């Protein structure tokens, strides 16, 4: 029974920390573009990322 006096507050604190992390993620815009990352990984871009005017060689 004494174990529950320690475990219940620890569980409540961990749940509160998870809830705060979720609200922080919501406010910082982590969930604004849910499909964008999934679509960007499928697009094969041949762009110049280093700015030297030459495109990257594809293998």
């Amino acid at each position: 029974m004494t174990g529950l006096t320690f475990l219940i507050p620890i569980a409540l604190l961990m749940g509160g920390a998870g809830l705060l992390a979720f609200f922080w993620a919501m406010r910082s815009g982590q969930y604004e573009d849910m499909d964008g990352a999934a679509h960007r990984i499928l697009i094969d871009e041949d762009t110049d990322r280093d700015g030297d005017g030459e495109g990257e060689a594809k293998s």
Side-chain angles (χ1 to χ4, degrees):
M1 188 68 180
T2 59
L4 290 178
T5 59
F6 294 108
L7 292 177
I8 290 174
I10 289 172
L12 290 174
L13 287 174
M14 290 177 68
L19 189 64
L20 287 175
F22 173 72
F23 284 126
W24 171 79
M26 289 290 292
R27 292 189 68 174
S28 66
Q30 295 288 322
Y31 297 105
E32 287 182 358
D33 187 16
M34 297 295 289
D35 295 329
H39 290 278
R40 280 192 298 273
I41 200 168
L42 297 175
I43 296 172
D44 188 22
E45 295 182 16
D46 189 23
T47 59
D48 183 24
R49 293 185 183 168
D50 54 356
D52 62 353
E54 299 176 2
E56 296 181 17
K58 294 194 155 232
S59 56

